[in-house]
Structures are given as structure tokens and as C-alpha cells.
Amino acid sequence: MQSRRIGHEEIFDFDRLEKAFNSLHLEMTEENEIVLFNLHNHLVWHSFRPGENPVADAILSSAIADLLEEYNLDASCVPAEFRDIASSVVERR
């Protein structure tokens, strides 16, 4: 049984999101920069809705994948609202 849980603050850590953005090799256009900042804000305010912006979804998915790999965890260790994204990440591993 895995006792480690990933907290919201780890998911919406801006440095982690920016690292995920860079790992996706996205071009830092004004539009993508706005997406990154909006993603961070929506995660902080718990107003993020998956499926509304594919770039934001990809960034978040990459950040969650990094966390799961870093701590060697599975999808059940992330907050409930992110489990669908985490499950798809685990399936791709």
C-alpha cells in the first residue's frame, strides 16, 4: 500500500508546470505563456476543467507524470479531481 499522497500544492507548483511545459517542447509564444499562467491560476483556485484547452491538459498531464515517476506512485495517490488525467498518464507508461 502506498502511503504517500500528492498534494494540490505539488501539482500547481509553477516551476513544475513550467518544467512540464518545457519538456513538451512547446514554443513560448504569448498565447502559450497565457495558457501556462491561466492553468496555474485555475489549479490554484480549483477551477480547472479538463478538456477545455488541449495545451493546458498536456502541461498538466506531463506535470502529473513527472510527480508519479518521481515518487514512484500510481494514479490513486493524486487528488480525486486529477485521477482521470493521472490514470491516462499511467496507461501510457
Side-chain angles (χ1 to χ4, degrees), residues 1-45:
M1 179 181 206
Q2 297 174 330
S3 61
R4 173 81 164 94
R5 295 293 228 196
I6 296 172
H8 285 91
E9 65 282 350
E10 290 179 281
I11 293 172
F12 61 67
D13 176 74
F14 188 81
D15 290 336
R16 185 175 300 280
L17 293 173
E18 189 173 40
K19 180 182 172 196
F21 178 93
N22 291 328
S23 74
L24 293 169
H25 305 287
L26 296 170
E27 185 179 347
M28 187 50 91
T29 62
E30 185 177 345
E31 182 179 339
N32 282 342
E33 188 174 16
I34 290 169
V35 168
L36 179 61
F37 283 112
N38 282 339
L39 171 61
H40 178 257
N41 288 334
H42 281 295
L43 291 171
V44 168
W45 292 103

Side-chain angles (χ1 to χ4, degrees), residues 33-70:
E33 188 174 16
I34 290 169
V35 168
L36 179 61
F37 283 112
N38 282 339
L39 171 61
H40 178 257
N41 288 334
H42 281 295
L43 291 171
V44 168
W45 292 103
H46 302 278
S47 60
F48 176 75
R49 291 190 303 260
E52 289 190 356
N53 185 309
V55 174
D57 290 348
I59 295 167
L60 180 58
S61 178
S62 180
I64 290 173
D66 290 344
L67 279 165
L68 294 176
E69 189 173 320
E70 182 179 332

